Amino acid sequence: MTIAVFNSIMHWTIFIMIPLIVVSLGGLFSEKSGVVNIALEGKMILGAFFGTIFMHYVQNIWVITMPGWLLLLCTLLIATIVGIIISLVHAYASINLRANQVISGIAINMFAAAFAIYGARSTLGTQHIRFTNVMRIDHVPGLGSIPFIGPIMFQNTYFTSLLGIIILLIVSFVLFKTKFGLRLRACGEHPQAADSVGISVSKMRYAGVILSGALAGMGGVIYIIPIAAEFSGTVAGYGFLALAVLIFGAWNPKRIFFAALFFGLTLSVASQFTAIPFLRDLGIHANFFRMTPYVATLVVLALTSKNTLAPKAVGQPYDKGGR
């Protein structure tokens, strides 16, 4: 395998793992507060939909000239706001109405997929929302020249890759080094105990779900921009894969990073196996390599599910009189 092929595989690994990290951390906030959030897929779809349609309008209808960094910033902000808005629906159903949290998440996923296609066809006449990618960074001055790391991390890259790492560090600090993080985790482990010392379980769970929606909406844009120049109403199941990363990562930010790296690498190799002589010469059908990452997901979840470290009260509507 040549250096160019290795760099290409690592580039794609980063492009795949960063949205998985961001969206998994969103799910982490929600579930640490005690609310199951399987609506990550739907929030990614809606974030990507509104983000890409904004880019399409700016570039093709309003014809506004914006620097790539500013366009990306505005797109991420819009996707984040959309994620927050839809997460409020999930929070209200789960916390105020004490509805089944899984059913609420499924409803959001179904709504998002249909709304994205309908919205695109209604406004543009097609479900394919195209945009011109002006966000790619060819070479980061200084850093792009670092041996080995430079070509992978700082050449032909995107600011979103660095943003994902920054979010990972911030989330790790907030959850385990701040009073807010301690209170959030307490509401997911033993809400009655948290309530007994004056912590508002409802407010903390709202905060967790809102942060989850913000990161999931942002993750939809982070997923789309490096790999395509259009959005077709789907994020290819990455929201569900992010849930697998969350479980495989044992609800821990550090482990989530390595879980996302594992899945990112397997998906990257599966998509570029023809460039690797050893794999290409095996003569195995391409579909085998394409399904390998998802089979690996099932195997990993089966092996790790018995030792789950999920918050004890996750999925349980809070009952003030419970014990």
Side-chain angles (χ1 to χ4, degrees):
M1 182 168 60
T2 65
I3 294 177
V5 172
F6 175 78
N7 288 344
S8 176
I9 290 174
M10 293 310 299
H11 264 122
W12 277 101
T13 298
I14 292 171
F15 293 158
I16 292 169
M17 69 178 284
I18 292 300
L20 287 178
I21 289 174
V22 173
V23 179
S24 295
L25 292 175
L28 180 66
F29 268 120
S30 180
E31 301 209 351
K32 281 291 187 183
S33 72
V35 178
V36 171
N37 195 349
I38 67 168
L40 297 176
E41 176 89 358
K43 293 171 184 177
M44 282 186 74
I45 290 174
L46 291 174
F49 168 72
F50 282 98
T52 53
I53 206 166
F54 168 76
M55 286 192 288
H56 177 84
Y57 268 77
V58 166
Q59 294 175 333
N60 301 289
I61 297 177
W62 300 333
V63 195
I64 300 174
T65 302
M66 297 176 67
W69 65 268
L70 181 58
L71 180 61
L72 177 59
L73 182 63
C74 292
T75 302
L76 289 173
L77 181 60
I78 290 171
T80 300
I81 293 172
V82 170
I84 290 173
I85 292 172
I86 196 67
S87 68
L88 287 172
V89 177
H90 182 54
Y92 181 74
S94 302
I95 300 169
N96 294 82
L97 301 181
R98 298 183 183 181
N100 186 294
Q101 297 168 12
V102 174
I103 293 177
S104 175
I106 292 173
I108 290 174
N109 288 336
M110 295 175 66
F111 165 79
F115 178 85
I117 295 175
Y118 174 78
R121 289 182 175 176
S122 298
T123 54
L124 305 178
T126 174
Q127 74 180 63
H128 303 285
I129 307 172
R130 295 180 174 84
F131 59 92
T132 303
N133 194 330
V134 294
M135 284 76 77
R136 186 170 64 88
I137 302 172
D138 293 326
H139 188 282
V140 179
L143 297 177
S145 301
I146 299 175
F148 185 73
I149 297 177
I152 296 174
M153 289 294 299
F154 303 110
Q155 293 182 19
N156 298 317
T157 189
Y158 293 84
F159 168 71
T160 51
S161 297
L162 178 60
L163 178 63
I165 302 301
I166 293 173
I167 290 174
L168 175 66
L169 297 175
I170 292 175
V171 171
S172 299
F173 177 80
V174 168
L175 277 178
F176 298 103
K177 300 294 183 181
T178 67
K179 185 185 293 185
F180 171 81
L182 177 61
R183 291 179 173 179
L184 187 79
R185 288 184 286 121
C187 291
E189 292 292 340
H190 202 310
Q192 282 78 16
D195 188 24
S196 69
V197 295
I199 299 173
S200 174
V201 176
S202 295
K203 289 182 179 179
M204 295 308 299
R205 288 189 169 183
Y206 258 96
V209 177
I210 288 171
L211 288 170
S212 175
L215 291 178
M218 183 189 302
V221 170
I222 292 175
Y223 163 73
I224 289 294
I225 286 178
I227 67 171
E230 67 176 29
F231 174 64
S232 302
T234 178
V235 291
Y238 269 58
F240 298 114
L241 191 55
L243 280 173
V245 169
L246 175 63
I247 298 169
F248 183 29
W251 289 266
N252 181 285
K254 294 179 182 178
R255 295 185 181 183
I256 284 173
F257 172 83
F258 290 106
L261 176 61
F262 168 76
F263 289 119
L265 186 60
T266 56
L267 286 166
S268 180
V269 171
S271 65
Q272 301 186 62
F273 76 95
T274 55
I276 304 174
F278 168 71
L279 296 179
R280 184 183 63 239
D281 295 341
L282 290 176
I284 300 175
H285 197 278
N287 288 335
F288 174 83
F289 292 100
R290 295 191 184 104
M291 73 179 184
T292 298
Y294 303 99
V295 173
T297 301
L298 294 174
V299 172
V300 167
L301 290 179
L303 294 176
T304 59
S305 60
K306 291 183 179 180
N307 300 318
T308 179
L309 298 174
K312 293 180 181 178
V314 67
Q316 301 174 14
Y318 175 56
D319 180 6
K320 201 174 183 68
R323 292 290 184 269

